[in-house]
Short mmCIF file of all heavy atoms in Angstrom, two decimals:
data_model
loop_
_atom_site.label_atom_id
_atom_site.label_comp_id
_atom_site.label_asym_id
_atom_site.label_seq_id
_atom_site.Cartn_x
_atom_site.Cartn_y
_atom_site.Cartn_z
N ALA A 65 5.28 -21.04 38.61
CA ALA A 65 6.28 -20.98 39.68
C ALA A 65 6.25 -22.27 40.47
O ALA A 65 5.55 -23.19 40.14
CB ALA A 65 5.97 -19.80 40.57
N THR A 66 7.02 -22.30 41.54
CA THR A 66 7.03 -23.48 42.39
C THR A 66 5.67 -23.67 42.97
O THR A 66 5.07 -22.74 43.49
CB THR A 66 8.07 -23.33 43.49
OG1 THR A 66 7.81 -22.13 44.21
CG2 THR A 66 9.48 -23.29 42.90
N GLY A 67 5.16 -24.87 42.94
CA GLY A 67 3.81 -25.10 43.40
C GLY A 67 2.84 -24.89 42.25
O GLY A 67 3.16 -25.08 41.07
N SER A 68 1.63 -24.52 42.57
CA SER A 68 0.58 -24.34 41.58
C SER A 68 0.40 -22.87 41.20
O SER A 68 -0.50 -22.56 40.41
CB SER A 68 -0.73 -24.92 42.07
OG SER A 68 -1.13 -24.27 43.29
N GLN A 69 1.17 -21.97 41.79
CA GLN A 69 0.96 -20.56 41.56
C GLN A 69 1.61 -20.10 40.27
O GLN A 69 2.76 -20.53 39.98
CB GLN A 69 1.52 -19.72 42.74
CG GLN A 69 0.95 -18.33 42.85
CD GLN A 69 1.34 -17.66 44.15
OE1 GLN A 69 2.32 -18.11 44.79
NE2 GLN A 69 0.61 -16.64 44.53
N ARG A 70 0.95 -19.22 39.55
CA ARG A 70 1.50 -18.78 38.27
C ARG A 70 2.02 -17.34 38.40
O ARG A 70 1.36 -16.51 39.03
CB ARG A 70 0.40 -18.87 37.21
CG ARG A 70 0.93 -18.53 35.80
CD ARG A 70 -0.22 -18.68 34.77
NE ARG A 70 0.23 -18.31 33.44
CZ ARG A 70 0.88 -19.10 32.63
NH1 ARG A 70 1.16 -20.33 33.02
NH2 ARG A 70 1.22 -18.71 31.41
N ILE A 71 3.16 -17.10 37.84
CA ILE A 71 3.76 -15.76 37.92
C ILE A 71 3.05 -14.82 36.93
O ILE A 71 2.88 -15.13 35.78
CB ILE A 71 5.27 -15.83 37.61
CG1 ILE A 71 5.96 -16.66 38.66
CG2 ILE A 71 5.88 -14.47 37.50
CD1 ILE A 71 7.41 -16.89 38.38
N THR A 72 2.61 -13.69 37.45
CA THR A 72 1.88 -12.72 36.62
C THR A 72 2.62 -11.40 36.47
O THR A 72 2.05 -10.38 36.08
CB THR A 72 0.50 -12.42 37.27
OG1 THR A 72 0.71 -11.89 38.59
CG2 THR A 72 -0.33 -13.70 37.43
N LEU A 73 3.91 -11.40 36.75
CA LEU A 73 4.71 -10.17 36.82
C LEU A 73 4.78 -9.46 35.47
O LEU A 73 4.80 -8.27 35.43
CB LEU A 73 6.08 -10.47 37.37
CG LEU A 73 7.00 -9.26 37.58
CD1 LEU A 73 6.36 -8.29 38.57
CD2 LEU A 73 8.37 -9.70 38.04
N SER A 74 4.87 -10.25 34.38
CA SER A 74 5.02 -9.54 33.10
C SER A 74 3.87 -8.65 32.77
O SER A 74 4.03 -7.50 32.32
CB SER A 74 5.25 -10.60 31.96
OG SER A 74 4.14 -11.50 31.98
N SER A 75 2.65 -9.11 33.06
CA SER A 75 1.46 -8.30 32.85
C SER A 75 1.46 -7.07 33.80
O SER A 75 1.10 -5.97 33.43
CB SER A 75 0.18 -9.11 33.05
OG SER A 75 0.10 -10.13 32.07
N THR A 76 1.82 -7.33 35.07
CA THR A 76 1.86 -6.28 36.06
C THR A 76 2.82 -5.15 35.62
O THR A 76 2.44 -3.95 35.68
CB THR A 76 2.27 -6.82 37.44
OG1 THR A 76 1.42 -7.87 37.82
CG2 THR A 76 2.23 -5.70 38.48
N LEU A 77 4.02 -5.50 35.20
CA LEU A 77 5.00 -4.52 34.76
C LEU A 77 4.53 -3.79 33.55
O LEU A 77 4.74 -2.59 33.40
CB LEU A 77 6.32 -5.18 34.51
CG LEU A 77 7.05 -5.77 35.73
CD1 LEU A 77 8.29 -6.51 35.32
CD2 LEU A 77 7.35 -4.72 36.77
N PHE A 78 3.89 -4.47 32.64
CA PHE A 78 3.37 -3.81 31.42
C PHE A 78 2.30 -2.79 31.74
O PHE A 78 2.32 -1.66 31.27
CB PHE A 78 2.79 -4.85 30.46
CG PHE A 78 2.26 -4.28 29.18
CD1 PHE A 78 3.09 -3.78 28.20
CD2 PHE A 78 0.89 -4.27 28.95
CE1 PHE A 78 2.62 -3.25 27.01
CE2 PHE A 78 0.40 -3.72 27.79
CZ PHE A 78 1.26 -3.21 26.82
N PHE A 79 1.34 -3.15 32.59
CA PHE A 79 0.28 -2.22 32.99
C PHE A 79 0.89 -1.05 33.81
O PHE A 79 0.43 0.10 33.66
CB PHE A 79 -0.76 -2.91 33.82
CG PHE A 79 -1.60 -3.86 33.01
CD1 PHE A 79 -1.91 -5.13 33.48
CD2 PHE A 79 -2.11 -3.50 31.75
CE1 PHE A 79 -2.68 -6.02 32.74
CE2 PHE A 79 -2.85 -4.40 31.00
CZ PHE A 79 -3.14 -5.63 31.52
N MET A 80 1.88 -1.29 34.65
CA MET A 80 2.53 -0.22 35.39
C MET A 80 3.20 0.76 34.47
O MET A 80 3.13 1.98 34.66
CB MET A 80 3.51 -0.79 36.43
CG MET A 80 2.87 -1.59 37.55
SD MET A 80 4.06 -2.37 38.63
CE MET A 80 4.78 -0.93 39.49
N GLY A 81 3.89 0.25 33.45
CA GLY A 81 4.54 1.12 32.49
C GLY A 81 3.52 1.94 31.70
O GLY A 81 3.74 3.13 31.42
N CYS A 82 2.40 1.30 31.30
CA CYS A 82 1.39 2.02 30.53
C CYS A 82 0.73 3.13 31.39
O CYS A 82 0.34 4.16 30.86
CB CYS A 82 0.31 1.06 30.06
SG CYS A 82 0.88 -0.05 28.72
N ALA A 83 0.60 2.87 32.68
CA ALA A 83 -0.03 3.85 33.58
C ALA A 83 0.70 5.15 33.64
O ALA A 83 0.09 6.20 33.78
CB ALA A 83 -0.23 3.24 34.97
N ILE A 84 2.04 5.11 33.56
CA ILE A 84 2.81 6.33 33.57
C ILE A 84 3.17 6.84 32.20
O ILE A 84 4.04 7.72 32.05
CB ILE A 84 4.09 6.15 34.42
CG1 ILE A 84 4.98 5.05 33.83
CG2 ILE A 84 3.74 5.81 35.86
CD1 ILE A 84 6.32 4.93 34.52
N THR A 85 2.50 6.29 31.19
CA THR A 85 2.73 6.74 29.77
C THR A 85 1.36 7.06 29.17
O THR A 85 0.96 6.40 28.20
CB THR A 85 3.47 5.69 29.00
OG1 THR A 85 4.48 5.15 29.76
CG2 THR A 85 4.07 6.30 27.70
N PRO A 86 0.59 7.99 29.70
CA PRO A 86 -0.77 8.19 29.21
C PRO A 86 -0.87 8.82 27.83
O PRO A 86 -1.92 8.71 27.21
CB PRO A 86 -1.39 9.14 30.23
CG PRO A 86 -0.20 9.89 30.83
CD PRO A 86 0.92 8.89 30.80
N GLN A 87 0.24 9.41 27.32
CA GLN A 87 0.14 10.03 26.00
C GLN A 87 -0.03 9.03 24.85
O GLN A 87 -0.35 9.39 23.76
CB GLN A 87 1.38 10.93 25.75
CG GLN A 87 2.68 10.21 25.52
CD GLN A 87 3.46 10.00 26.79
OE1 GLN A 87 2.90 9.92 27.85
NE2 GLN A 87 4.78 9.96 26.67
N ILE A 88 0.21 7.73 25.11
CA ILE A 88 0.03 6.75 24.10
C ILE A 88 -1.40 6.22 24.04
O ILE A 88 -1.74 5.41 23.19
CB ILE A 88 0.98 5.52 24.29
CG1 ILE A 88 0.66 4.78 25.58
CG2 ILE A 88 2.45 5.97 24.27
CD1 ILE A 88 1.49 3.52 25.77
N ALA A 89 -2.24 6.71 24.96
CA ALA A 89 -3.65 6.22 25.03
C ALA A 89 -4.40 6.45 23.73
O ALA A 89 -5.05 5.52 23.22
CB ALA A 89 -4.37 6.86 26.21
N PRO A 90 -4.41 7.66 23.14
CA PRO A 90 -5.22 7.87 21.93
C PRO A 90 -4.44 7.64 20.65
O PRO A 90 -4.89 8.01 19.59
CB PRO A 90 -5.67 9.32 22.06
CG PRO A 90 -4.50 9.99 22.75
CD PRO A 90 -3.88 8.95 23.62
N TRP A 91 -3.24 7.07 20.74
CA TRP A 91 -2.33 7.01 19.56
C TRP A 91 -2.49 5.68 18.85
O TRP A 91 -1.95 4.67 19.26
CB TRP A 91 -0.90 7.19 20.04
CG TRP A 91 0.01 7.63 18.95
CD1 TRP A 91 0.86 6.86 18.25
CD2 TRP A 91 0.16 8.96 18.38
NE1 TRP A 91 1.56 7.60 17.29
CE2 TRP A 91 1.13 8.88 17.36
CE3 TRP A 91 -0.47 10.18 18.66
CZ2 TRP A 91 1.49 10.01 16.63
CZ3 TRP A 91 -0.10 11.29 17.93
CH2 TRP A 91 0.86 11.19 16.93
N GLN A 92 -3.24 5.68 17.76
CA GLN A 92 -3.55 4.43 17.08
C GLN A 92 -2.30 3.81 16.46
O GLN A 92 -2.17 2.59 16.41
CB GLN A 92 -4.57 4.69 15.98
CG GLN A 92 -6.01 4.90 16.48
CD GLN A 92 -6.25 6.32 16.99
OE1 GLN A 92 -5.46 7.21 16.66
NE2 GLN A 92 -7.30 6.52 17.72
N GLU A 93 -1.35 4.61 15.96
CA GLU A 93 -0.15 4.06 15.36
C GLU A 93 0.67 3.26 16.36
O GLU A 93 1.27 2.25 16.05
CB GLU A 93 0.70 5.19 14.76
CG GLU A 93 0.04 5.87 13.55
CD GLU A 93 0.92 6.96 12.96
OE1 GLU A 93 2.07 7.10 13.41
OE2 GLU A 93 0.48 7.66 12.05
N GLY A 94 0.72 3.74 17.62
CA GLY A 94 1.43 3.02 18.64
C GLY A 94 0.78 1.66 18.92
O GLY A 94 1.51 0.65 19.15
N THR A 95 -0.54 1.59 18.91
CA THR A 95 -1.23 0.33 19.10
C THR A 95 -0.97 -0.66 18.00
O THR A 95 -0.66 -1.84 18.22
CB THR A 95 -2.77 0.56 19.21
OG1 THR A 95 -3.01 1.56 20.18
CG2 THR A 95 -3.48 -0.72 19.58
N ILE A 96 -1.01 -0.16 16.75
CA ILE A 96 -0.71 -1.01 15.61
C ILE A 96 0.73 -1.55 15.69
O ILE A 96 0.98 -2.74 15.49
CB ILE A 96 -0.92 -0.24 14.31
CG1 ILE A 96 -2.39 0.13 14.14
CG2 ILE A 96 -0.43 -1.05 13.10
CD1 ILE A 96 -2.68 1.05 12.99
N CYS A 97 1.66 -0.66 16.02
CA CYS A 97 3.07 -1.08 16.12
C CYS A 97 3.28 -2.09 17.26
O CYS A 97 4.00 -3.07 17.08
CB CYS A 97 3.94 0.18 16.37
SG CYS A 97 5.70 -0.17 16.44
N LEU A 98 2.59 -1.90 18.39
CA LEU A 98 2.72 -2.84 19.49
C LEU A 98 2.22 -4.22 19.09
O LEU A 98 2.95 -5.23 19.32
CB LEU A 98 1.90 -2.33 20.65
CG LEU A 98 1.76 -3.27 21.88
CD1 LEU A 98 3.10 -3.49 22.52
CD2 LEU A 98 0.74 -2.73 22.87
N VAL A 99 1.08 -4.34 18.50
CA VAL A 99 0.50 -5.62 18.15
C VAL A 99 1.36 -6.34 17.09
O VAL A 99 1.69 -7.53 17.19
CB VAL A 99 -0.95 -5.48 17.69
CG1 VAL A 99 -1.51 -6.79 17.16
CG2 VAL A 99 -1.83 -4.93 18.80
N LEU A 100 1.75 -5.58 16.04
CA LEU A 100 2.53 -6.17 14.94
C LEU A 100 3.93 -6.58 15.38
O LEU A 100 4.38 -7.70 15.09
CB LEU A 100 2.57 -5.20 13.74
CG LEU A 100 1.21 -4.93 13.09
CD1 LEU A 100 1.39 -3.93 11.97
CD2 LEU A 100 0.61 -6.20 12.53
N MET A 101 4.63 -5.68 16.06
CA MET A 101 5.95 -6.00 16.47
C MET A 101 5.99 -7.02 17.61
O MET A 101 6.91 -7.90 17.64
CB MET A 101 6.71 -4.71 16.94
CG MET A 101 6.88 -3.70 15.85
SD MET A 101 7.97 -2.32 16.27
CE MET A 101 9.57 -3.07 16.20
N GLY A 102 5.00 -7.01 18.47
CA GLY A 102 4.92 -8.05 19.51
C GLY A 102 4.74 -9.42 18.89
O GLY A 102 5.35 -10.40 19.33
N THR A 103 3.87 -9.50 17.87
CA THR A 103 3.65 -10.79 17.19
C THR A 103 4.92 -11.23 16.43
O THR A 103 5.32 -12.39 16.43
CB THR A 103 2.49 -10.69 16.19
OG1 THR A 103 1.33 -10.20 16.88
CG2 THR A 103 2.19 -12.05 15.56
N ALA A 104 5.62 -10.26 15.82
CA ALA A 104 6.86 -10.56 15.09
C ALA A 104 7.94 -11.10 16.04
O ALA A 104 8.62 -12.09 15.75
CB ALA A 104 7.34 -9.31 14.38
N TYR A 105 8.08 -10.45 17.21
CA TYR A 105 9.11 -10.91 18.16
C TYR A 105 8.76 -12.32 18.68
O TYR A 105 9.65 -13.14 18.93
CB TYR A 105 9.21 -9.95 19.34
CG TYR A 105 9.81 -8.63 18.98
CD1 TYR A 105 9.50 -7.47 19.68
CD2 TYR A 105 10.79 -8.54 17.99
CE1 TYR A 105 10.10 -6.23 19.35
CE2 TYR A 105 11.34 -7.33 17.65
CZ TYR A 105 11.00 -6.20 18.34
OH TYR A 105 11.57 -5.04 18.04
N HIS A 106 7.46 -12.60 18.85
CA HIS A 106 7.05 -13.91 19.31
C HIS A 106 7.44 -14.98 18.28
O HIS A 106 7.87 -16.08 18.65
CB HIS A 106 5.56 -13.92 19.54
CG HIS A 106 5.02 -15.18 20.13
ND1 HIS A 106 5.31 -15.58 21.44
CD2 HIS A 106 4.27 -16.17 19.60
CE1 HIS A 106 4.70 -16.75 21.67
NE2 HIS A 106 4.08 -17.14 20.58
N LEU A 107 7.22 -14.69 17.02
CA LEU A 107 7.58 -15.63 15.95
C LEU A 107 9.09 -15.87 15.87
O LEU A 107 9.55 -16.98 15.75
CB LEU A 107 7.07 -15.13 14.61
CG LEU A 107 5.56 -15.12 14.39
CD1 LEU A 107 5.20 -14.43 13.06
CD2 LEU A 107 4.97 -16.54 14.41
N LEU A 108 9.86 -14.79 15.99
CA LEU A 108 11.28 -14.88 15.88
C LEU A 108 11.93 -15.58 17.10
O LEU A 108 13.03 -16.13 17.00
CB LEU A 108 11.93 -13.48 15.70
CG LEU A 108 11.59 -12.81 14.42
CD1 LEU A 108 12.12 -11.34 14.42
CD2 LEU A 108 12.24 -13.56 13.26
N SER A 109 11.22 -15.57 18.24
CA SER A 109 11.80 -16.20 19.48
C SER A 109 11.84 -17.72 19.33
O SER A 109 12.50 -18.37 20.16
CB SER A 109 10.95 -15.80 20.69
OG SER A 109 9.63 -16.33 20.58
N TYR A 110 11.19 -18.28 18.31
CA TYR A 110 11.21 -19.74 18.13
C TYR A 110 12.16 -20.16 17.01
O TYR A 110 12.10 -21.30 16.55
CB TYR A 110 9.81 -20.26 17.80
CG TYR A 110 8.83 -20.18 18.95
CD1 TYR A 110 7.95 -19.15 19.08
CD2 TYR A 110 8.85 -21.18 19.95
CE1 TYR A 110 7.08 -19.09 20.17
CE2 TYR A 110 7.98 -21.12 21.04
CZ TYR A 110 7.10 -20.07 21.14
OH TYR A 110 6.24 -20.00 22.21
N THR A 111 13.03 -19.26 16.59
CA THR A 111 13.89 -19.56 15.44
C THR A 111 15.33 -19.91 15.89
O THR A 111 16.24 -19.92 15.06
CB THR A 111 13.94 -18.39 14.45
OG1 THR A 111 14.52 -17.23 15.12
CG2 THR A 111 12.57 -18.05 13.91
N PHE A 112 15.56 -20.18 17.14
CA PHE A 112 16.93 -20.44 17.62
C PHE A 112 17.53 -21.64 16.91
O PHE A 112 17.06 -22.76 16.95
CB PHE A 112 16.88 -20.69 19.13
CG PHE A 112 18.25 -21.01 19.73
CD1 PHE A 112 19.20 -20.06 19.84
CD2 PHE A 112 18.50 -22.29 20.14
CE1 PHE A 112 20.42 -20.32 20.40
CE2 PHE A 112 19.74 -22.61 20.70
CZ PHE A 112 20.71 -21.63 20.83
N ARG A 113 18.65 -21.31 16.25
CA ARG A 113 19.44 -22.33 15.52
C ARG A 113 18.61 -23.14 14.53
O ARG A 113 18.91 -24.26 14.19
CB ARG A 113 20.14 -23.28 16.49
CG ARG A 113 21.28 -22.62 17.24
CD ARG A 113 22.04 -23.60 18.11
NE ARG A 113 23.18 -22.96 18.73
CZ ARG A 113 23.98 -23.55 19.61
NH1 ARG A 113 23.77 -24.82 19.93
NH2 ARG A 113 24.98 -22.88 20.17
N ASN A 114 17.51 -22.53 14.06
CA ASN A 114 16.65 -23.21 13.05
C ASN A 114 17.00 -22.59 11.70
O ASN A 114 16.54 -21.49 11.34
CB ASN A 114 15.19 -23.02 13.42
CG ASN A 114 14.26 -23.75 12.47
OD1 ASN A 114 14.73 -24.44 11.53
ND2 ASN A 114 12.96 -23.61 12.66
N HIS A 115 17.79 -23.31 10.93
CA HIS A 115 18.26 -22.76 9.65
C HIS A 115 17.20 -22.93 8.54
O HIS A 115 17.46 -22.55 7.38
CB HIS A 115 19.57 -23.46 9.29
CG HIS A 115 20.69 -23.16 10.23
ND1 HIS A 115 21.33 -21.96 10.32
CD2 HIS A 115 21.26 -23.95 11.18
CE1 HIS A 115 22.25 -22.00 11.26
NE2 HIS A 115 22.23 -23.21 11.78
N THR A 116 16.06 -23.47 8.86
CA THR A 116 14.97 -23.58 7.88
C THR A 116 13.76 -22.73 8.32
O THR A 116 12.65 -23.04 8.06
CB THR A 116 14.51 -25.03 7.72
OG1 THR A 116 14.05 -25.55 9.00
CG2 THR A 116 15.68 -25.90 7.21
N SER A 117 14.07 -21.61 8.98
CA SER A 117 13.00 -20.76 9.53
C SER A 117 12.71 -19.57 8.62
O SER A 117 12.37 -18.50 9.10
CB SER A 117 13.39 -20.27 10.92
OG SER A 117 14.64 -19.58 10.91
N MET A 118 12.88 -19.75 7.30
CA MET A 118 12.63 -18.65 6.37
C MET A 118 11.16 -18.16 6.45
O MET A 118 10.91 -16.96 6.33
CB MET A 118 12.93 -19.07 4.93
CG MET A 118 14.43 -19.20 4.64
SD MET A 118 15.19 -20.69 5.33
CE MET A 118 14.49 -21.95 4.28
N GLY A 119 10.22 -19.08 6.66
CA GLY A 119 8.82 -18.71 6.76
C GLY A 119 8.60 -17.79 7.95
O GLY A 119 7.84 -16.80 7.84
N SER A 120 9.20 -18.08 9.10
CA SER A 120 9.05 -17.24 10.30
C SER A 120 9.66 -15.85 10.06
O SER A 120 9.07 -14.85 10.44
CB SER A 120 9.71 -17.91 11.49
OG SER A 120 9.11 -19.14 11.82
N TYR A 121 10.78 -15.79 9.42
CA TYR A 121 11.41 -14.51 9.11
C TYR A 121 10.55 -13.72 8.13
O TYR A 121 10.38 -12.49 8.31
CB TYR A 121 12.83 -14.72 8.53
CG TYR A 121 13.90 -14.83 9.55
CD1 TYR A 121 14.17 -16.01 10.20
CD2 TYR A 121 14.64 -13.73 9.95
CE1 TYR A 121 15.15 -16.13 11.15
CE2 TYR A 121 15.62 -13.79 10.89
CZ TYR A 121 15.89 -15.01 11.52
OH TYR A 121 16.87 -15.10 12.46
N PHE A 122 10.03 -14.37 7.12
CA PHE A 122 9.19 -13.68 6.15
C PHE A 122 7.93 -13.13 6.79
O PHE A 122 7.58 -11.95 6.65
CB PHE A 122 8.80 -14.61 5.00
CG PHE A 122 7.90 -14.00 4.01
CD1 PHE A 122 8.41 -13.24 2.93
CD2 PHE A 122 6.52 -14.18 4.06
CE1 PHE A 122 7.55 -12.66 2.02
CE2 PHE A 122 5.66 -13.64 3.13
CZ PHE A 122 6.18 -12.85 2.11
N THR A 123 7.25 -13.96 7.61
CA THR A 123 6.04 -13.52 8.26
C THR A 123 6.31 -12.39 9.26
O THR A 123 5.60 -11.39 9.33
CB THR A 123 5.39 -14.69 8.97
OG1 THR A 123 5.16 -15.76 8.08
CG2 THR A 123 4.05 -14.28 9.59
#
Side-chain angles (χ1 to χ4, degrees):
T66 55
S68 59
Q69 199 171 20
R70 186 177 178 83
I71 296 175
T72 61
L73 183 61
S74 55
S75 296
T76 304
L77 294 176
F78 180 72
F79 290 135
M80 290 175 72
C82 289
I84 61 173
T85 318
Q87 71 267 30
I88 64 177
W91 200 259
Q92 287 80 17
E93 292 181 6
T95 308
I96 295 171
C97 183
L98 171 66
V99 174
L100 294 177
M101 295 189 76
T103 306
Y105 290 152
H106 184 71
L107 291 173
L108 292 173
S109 65
Y110 290 99
T111 62
F112 177 71
R113 288 185 177 177
N114 183 1
H115 297 287
T116 61
S117 57
M118 286 75 72
S120 297
Y121 273 84
F122 177 84
T123 305

